[in-house]
Amino acid sequence: MTGRNHDPPRPHVVKVQSGTTFRVGDTRNMGSLHPGGGVCQEVRRPISLSFTPLPEALDQADIVPADCMKEKEALVLHVAFLALHEYEARHGHPPRPWHARDADKFLELFCEINEQRVRKAEEDARLVRTFAHTAGGQTAPLISVVGGVAAQEVAKACSAKFPPLRQWLYLDALECLPQDTSELLASGGEANPTDRYSAQAALFGRRFQERLGDLRYFIVGAGAIGCELLKNLALAGVGAGVKGEGGLTITDMDVIEKSNLSRQFLFRSGDVTRPKSETAAAAAKAINPGLRVIAHQLRVGPETEHVFGASFYESMDGVALALDNVEARRYMDHACWLHRRPMLESGTLGPSGSVQPVLPGVTERYQQEQVPGDRPVAVCTLKRFPTTIEHTLQWARDTFEGEFTAVPEAGMSYLKGGGGPPDSDMKITLRQALVEEVPHGFKDCVAWARRHWQLLFHDTILDLLEEFPPDKLTSTGTPFWSDGKQRPRPLHFHPEDPLHLAFIHAAANLQAAVYGLHQVSDQNVTLELVAGTEVPPRNFRYSGREGTIQEKEGIEVQAMNTLPSPASLPHLHLSSLIFEKDDDHNFHIDFITAASNLRASNYSIAPVDRATSKRIAGRIIPAIVTSTGVAAGLAVLELLKLAQGHRHLDAYKISEFNLALCRFCIAQPAPADDLDDRWHVEGDRLEVEGEMTMEQLLDLFRDVHLLEVILVAVGNLTLYSFLLPKAERLKRSAMTISAIVEEVGGEGWAEAGPRVLMLELGAEDQQGQEVEVPPVRYFIRKEEE
């Protein structure tokens, strides 16, 4: 529709109808309808803002309430700050912490100033007195929140990217204060001025500061939020008590990259390639030499439950998450629920973020509903009609899983004699993986990668265009290549093209890893080898769905007749590759990036760089330093409540914020779900003193709770199941629980020697209905005890 186009291009106002459609308006004078395949670009138009001058704004404040339940309190805080400035001008210092007479003077001054205002605040003597009691103190997490907001406003002023705050924002964390302040009021808030924690002790008291020092917390992740959490905890003295009982444990398997330095402030340029957890721990100890930190380079998951198991969680007071993907969050939510440990979940997405405290038995669990980014994309879109880089990245990820995970797994299963006889399609795949395409060196791997390039980015595109030619119409007479379908074009291989060579290099190295061959990191070697590689014509190869019916039938017959038996391949070994985004030397992200961008070139989709590909394909939630500072600060504020033992739901807050719009939404979390009344246990978990046999455990539930246990598991270990063969069930019924764990879990579990196991049970009632059973805390009696 050329009438809509201008040179140079000009923005045109449209009406958005949905997430994928918009209306352009009257098109009668714009020429013939466009046949499809057009491109549009969103244009953000600038706006002008004006603000009330400071003298007027002080008197008639336009306040953005951070907590929707504290709209009236926000104006009280505004007048209280005005009173604080006047108090300091008159007395030379703020009101002394928890000093009754100073609080009385401050309240009188507040009433005096409030009476002179045009817009008066409602007098709240309790809030004003609390303001006076705490005005002389400080705590690092609240400073982190205020600093993150202020820094984002500075960035707005420099970049004019987001609208600035209009005009006042007041945020309080009064719920962090002790519920019983009589001891603080009796002491008058006197603090040791030489103590590094004196400003914080002025708010909470000395006894609570000692409690913070004795806390033991598990920090999962040492990236952007992890660095900010460690900094806040070090400044607050968490795990740095003089008794030596407290401490922090942090784990992160990633290493520091140069791109991390802009938002992970515990790292410096000299730390690049070093482990994140160890470096962050050392930096935190430099902030507070009294801090005790243990650093691990382990992923949290079923494979490390022999390290992070029941005994480990029993030794922790809580867990703070600093993760960059949803799957790991869900796993940790389950672990914390199972082991009855409070969890602080925090995350960011650009300038937005959220914090959720999860306290077992008090608040609801971490929300596990599917987030928009997790929604599956239609297979036909991924395979044939991609329109966004997310589609091509998911296609690349699926291609990786198919070629380097699923195929090797099938080959290993066949070689071990498992899985039953393969069907005809699987026989074709196995014949290629075990006979025709077995490489004997890196040269063969490069040749395979070159043939694969031709198949993915040239031949299959031609197949698609033959099936759906450019002039094809739908059943309604509209062009097939319209309504969001972008007609692709085949690519032609050029070894000098960096993107083409990157795919060959990554794919060849991954193929070498599958077959246990030596990998080559030098792309020049790959360039020399691929230059001499010949690719068979498209009409003379068959792979997957391509080829004629006759070719397919002939190859199936050939595969059935020539697929060798496992016994005839004793020296062939394959390794299945598990996608790992955090290892920069395993070629996984290199393959994903190159494959996705080549696929994008097929469909005229703008490519993205390696970092963006890693973020999307690895389902990483991106971060900027201002939002991570705010999220970490809000999380540690919730930790202060947990440390004081607050059990009332209204003490805790779920926080969501958007620094781009300077909006906060702070609300009370939903209560915990109640379990069946049958259990009558506190904290919705059962406790069992071992040692007992599996049969005794089953009898206990059958006799006491009238339930038939059909499954017993510890983490990813299945200890008992009605699906086990009868002989195995009888054998395990006579064994003790710990003996079964050692047998099923192997040396890793046996060496860890946990004193406590968290058993997960599946059970049915007498009517055969499934019943939710709380986790069973199983204490192992040591022989020496």
Side-chain angles (χ1 to χ4, degrees), residues 489-633:
R489 60 183 179 87
L491 303 182
H492 299 280
F493 184 76
H494 298 287
E496 295 80 10
D497 189 310
L499 184 58
H500 296 193
L501 182 61
F503 176 89
I504 301 296
H505 186 64
N509 275 284
L510 292 175
Q511 186 77 340
V514 167
Y515 287 91
L517 301 175
H518 176 69
Q519 293 179 304
V520 176
S521 58
D522 188 355
Q523 273 200 1
N524 292 323
V525 174
T526 303
L527 178 61
E528 294 177 4
L529 294 174
V530 76
T533 301
E534 294 184 2
V535 178
R538 172 170 161 249
N539 294 335
F540 293 92
R541 62 108 184 101
Y542 173 80
S543 179
R545 63 179 296 278
E546 289 76 24
T548 65
I549 298 297
Q550 292 77 13
E551 287 173 333
K552 181 173 181 179
E553 291 175 349
I555 289 177
E556 287 178 350
V557 172
Q558 185 180 8
M560 293 177 188
N561 294 333
T562 61
L563 184 62
S565 66
S568 65
L569 301 169
H571 303 296
L572 184 60
H573 300 282
L574 285 76
S575 298
S576 176
L577 305 184
I578 305 301
F579 178 72
E580 173 50 60
K581 65 178 175 58
D582 293 323
D583 185 348
D584 289 332
H585 305 288
N586 62 7
F587 298 99
H588 293 193
I589 291 296
D590 300 290
F591 176 86
I592 295 292
T593 303
S596 170
N597 284 338
L598 286 167
R599 180 76 164 175
S601 297
N602 282 134
Y603 286 86
S604 302
I605 300 171
V608 295
D609 58 22
R610 188 180 190 276
T612 304
S613 299
K614 177 179 178 179
R615 173 178 63 79
I616 299 174
R619 299 183 177 91
I620 301 173
I621 301 175
I624 58 177
V625 70
T626 51
S627 56
T628 55
V630 173

Side-chain angles (χ1 to χ4, degrees), residues 52-289:
T52 305
L54 180 60
E56 297 179 27
L58 286 170
D59 191 56
Q60 302 182 27
D62 184 9
I63 299 175
V64 177
D67 190 332
C68 59
M69 301 299 293
K70 297 182 177 180
E71 189 170 356
K72 294 180 180 178
E73 287 86 342
L75 185 57
V76 177
L77 293 177
H78 178 75
V79 180
F81 271 105
L82 297 180
L84 178 61
H85 298 322
E86 182 62 26
Y87 188 99
E88 291 178 334
R90 294 183 184 183
H91 301 280
H93 60 80
R96 284 168 287 185
W98 303 102
H99 197 283
R101 283 189 299 170
D102 283 9
D104 291 339
K105 293 178 183 178
F106 185 82
L107 179 58
E108 292 176 3
L109 182 57
F110 173 90
C111 295
E112 176 186 328
I113 292 176
N114 191 41
E115 191 61 33
Q116 299 170 0
R117 290 174 50 81
V118 174
R119 185 184 178 193
K120 295 179 176 59
E122 291 187 10
E123 293 188 11
D124 187 337
R126 184 174 180 273
L127 177 56
V128 174
R129 285 182 180 276
T130 303
F131 184 99
H133 290 320
T134 58
Q138 290 182 353
T139 184
L142 192 56
I143 295 173
S144 180
V145 175
V146 175
V149 175
Q152 187 69 57
E153 293 302 309
V154 172
K156 293 177 185 179
C158 296
S159 65
K161 184 167 180 62
F162 299 120
L165 168 65
R166 306 188 66 173
Q167 282 186 269
W168 302 89
L169 173 70
Y170 285 99
L171 183 145
D172 72 76
L174 296 174
E175 295 81 8
C176 294
L177 294 174
Q179 294 177 332
D180 183 2
T181 60
S182 57
E183 184 177 340
L184 291 172
L185 290 168
S187 67
E190 295 297 332
N192 183 359
T194 63
D195 190 335
R196 68 178 295 155
Y197 305 119
S198 58
Q200 183 167 270
L203 298 174
F204 303 102
R206 285 287 163 189
R207 184 176 298 181
F208 178 65
Q209 188 60 51
E210 294 174 1
R211 169 62 181 151
L212 288 179
D214 294 337
L215 286 179
R216 298 176 63 85
Y217 253 79
F218 183 30
I219 315 300
V220 186
I225 295 180
C227 283
E228 292 296 316
L229 280 174
L230 269 180
K231 178 196 73 177
N232 277 280
L233 295 174
L235 291 172
V238 177
V242 294
K243 298 179 183 178
E245 298 177 356
L248 305 177
T249 299
I250 185 168
T251 187
D252 194 310
M253 64 176 299
D254 203 359
V255 297
I256 301 167
E257 300 178 10
K258 189 175 181 180
S259 61
N260 299 149
L261 303 181
S262 64
R263 63 187 182 278
Q264 300 175 19
F265 284 174
L266 294 185
F267 306 142
R268 300 293 181 264
S269 56
D271 297 326
V272 174
T273 72
R274 292 184 59 195
K276 284 186 175 181
S277 59
E278 295 179 3
T279 308
K285 292 187 70 172
I287 294 173
N288 186 345

